[in-house]
Amino acid sequence: VIHMQAKDERKMGVFSRSFILLFVYVPVCFAGFIQFLQETPGQVFVPEVDDGASAEIQIPAGFPFGLLSQYSVYVGTNGYFSFGRPVAIHSPSLFPNTFNYLVAPFWADIDITGDNGGEIYYQAHSRGNNSIFDELLDEVSVFISNSQQTVFSGSWMLVATWDQVKAYPGDSMATNTFQGTLVTNGEESYAVFTYQCDLMEWSGRATIEYYADGDLYENHPLTGSPNAREIACLGYNSSQPSQWTNLVYSLSTEANISVFQLKLVLANQCNDWLAEREENLPSIVKAIVRAIDELCSCGFGEQHILSYEVGCRSDPHG
């Protein structure tokens, strides 16, 4: 258990909060539950604007999600992560829809402007930069391994907290607190949503889901329900009123695996390889090729494909 004290200035004055870094595991169906992760000092606050988002957050090793690895993500005020670009949408909807590459712990019309209170903050970390955060990354990796019955060790993690946020227009005293965590090792990616029953007080027909593209999406059964806040009580037991609830989603797909296989072949020879084999490429690889061209607006002849990634990223050094 690591105890931290943090201070923050708000319009109503200065207040202090105690942060507890605590992980509790209960061996239930190979999973357990994990409490809110409280980061090391240096967390970043999302601007208090309506339907806004954080600044761009870089993902150095890439985040496999959909047909491509994603290299940037934003924390939206309305309860979701968006990849590649900030998204300002206040009306939640079922996936699939027109908003690709979203991971939504609780997508609803949230209002943190003016005197409504509430705040949204986040912290990203790459392994090796901070020993305390490395320990958190190890704990989350173990939790994911146990819950998914696999062996996983993350190298990058983003933790975002929507803390005591109200529903628009903020005229109710009801608040919600929840957390979303994104973790990857550059080849496998996971999302962990964390809730506590007594900290979710309104529903707003929120959506709890993720969507990459095509057929890669999942809507939680409570998505769009007037009882969406009950997501936080799935693990609730009257004898354990402080129990926490987690949802763990694997965001890696067969397409991701094909990307990693393909990158080894394409490194330093993508033009010749594609020219000779394009007609015989498996359909999944053709889909990847089309997606790269469409998303990056360039052909394979203009790509910089490195030995450790497939993508279409301009090289500032030529």
Side-chain angles (χ1 to χ4, degrees):
V1 178
I2 303 174
H3 183 276
M4 296 168 54
Q5 189 78 14
K7 291 186 177 180
D8 183 28
E9 293 186 1
R10 297 176 62 182
K11 295 181 178 66
M12 301 303 291
V14 178
F15 70 96
S16 64
R17 295 181 302 176
S18 294
F19 290 159
I20 302 294
L21 282 68
L22 177 63
F23 297 89
V24 181
Y25 296 100
V26 179
V28 179
C29 298
F30 300 99
F33 65 91
I34 193 168
Q35 295 192 5
F36 288 141
L37 305 177
Q38 300 293 352
E39 305 89 345
T40 58
Q43 59 204 23
V44 181
F45 287 81
V46 177
E48 295 179 0
V49 298
D50 191 28
D51 302 332
S54 68
E56 182 183 38
I57 304 164
Q58 296 290 328
I59 310 174
F63 190 94
F65 185 32
L67 292 178
L68 294 175
S69 288
Q70 307 297 320
Y71 290 90
S72 65
V73 63
Y74 299 79
V75 178
T77 58
N78 288 326
Y80 52 75
F81 301 97
S82 64
F83 289 84
R85 63 189 176 105
V87 175
I89 41 177
H90 64 271
S91 298
S93 61
L94 291 172
F95 289 143
N97 55 36
T98 58
F99 302 104
N100 290 8
Y101 303 105
L102 287 183
V103 175
F106 200 83
W107 174 14
D109 195 358
I110 293 172
D111 190 356
I112 59 171
T113 62
D115 295 327
N116 290 325
E119 54 194 6
I120 302 166
Y121 45 89
Y122 65 91
Q123 188 166 22
H125 174 72
S126 294
R127 184 177 292 281
N129 291 340
N130 183 292
S131 60
I132 295 178
F133 214 116
D134 279 353
E135 293 178 7
L136 296 183
L137 186 51
D138 288 339
E139 294 283 358
V140 175
S141 297
V142 170
F143 175 74
I144 290 172
S145 297
N146 290 341
S147 67
Q148 302 297 295
Q149 301 181 50
T150 186
V151 177
F152 173 77
S153 178
S155 60
W156 180 89
M157 179 168 69
L158 171 64
V159 182
T161 304
W162 289 260
D163 188 357
Q164 300 182 68
V165 295
K166 294 182 179 180
Y168 180 85
D171 53 3
S172 168
M173 296 302 293
T175 64
N176 283 351
T177 296
F178 57 94
Q179 192 172 83
T181 302
L182 302 176
V183 192
T184 188
N185 59 10
E187 295 190 5
E188 298 175 82
S189 299
Y190 293 90
V192 181
F193 303 163
T194 304
Y195 318 86
Q196 188 180 14
C197 192
D198 58 359
L199 297 182
M200 298 291 287
E201 299 175 349
W202 58 271
S203 290
R205 294 188 179 275
T207 58
I208 301 132
E209 55 195 359
Y210 67 86
Y211 180 42
D213 48 32
D215 295 327
L216 181 59
Y217 65 91
E218 183 170 346
N219 297 296
H220 189 274
L222 284 174
T223 284
S225 165
N227 301 316
R229 72 183 184 91
E230 293 180 3
I231 186 70
C233 301
L234 293 180
Y236 178 80
N237 183 309
S238 59
S239 65
Q240 295 178 309
S242 63
Q243 185 168 340
W244 303 70
T245 296
N246 303 110
L247 298 179
V248 181
Y249 291 115
S250 173
L251 303 180
S252 304
T253 67
E254 182 178 342
N256 295 135
I257 296 172
S258 296
V259 168
F260 296 121
Q261 294 173 342
L262 180 62
K263 69 184 178 183
L264 299 177
V265 182
L266 294 182
N268 302 318
Q269 56 177 342
C270 69
N271 291 327
D272 293 339
W273 190 89
L274 278 175
E276 295 174 2
R277 299 167 174 81
E278 185 171 7
E279 293 183 359
N280 298 320
L281 285 175
S283 59
I284 184 63
V285 176
K286 289 182 180 178
I288 294 170
V289 171
R290 288 195 299 270
I292 292 175
D293 283 342
E294 178 181 351
L295 293 176
C296 303
S297 300
C298 68
F300 267 95
E302 299 171 26
Q303 291 179 44
H304 298 274
I305 298 182
L306 306 180
S307 60
Y308 58 89
E309 65 184 7
V310 169
C312 182
R313 307 173 65 193
S314 60
D315 186 346
H317 304 293

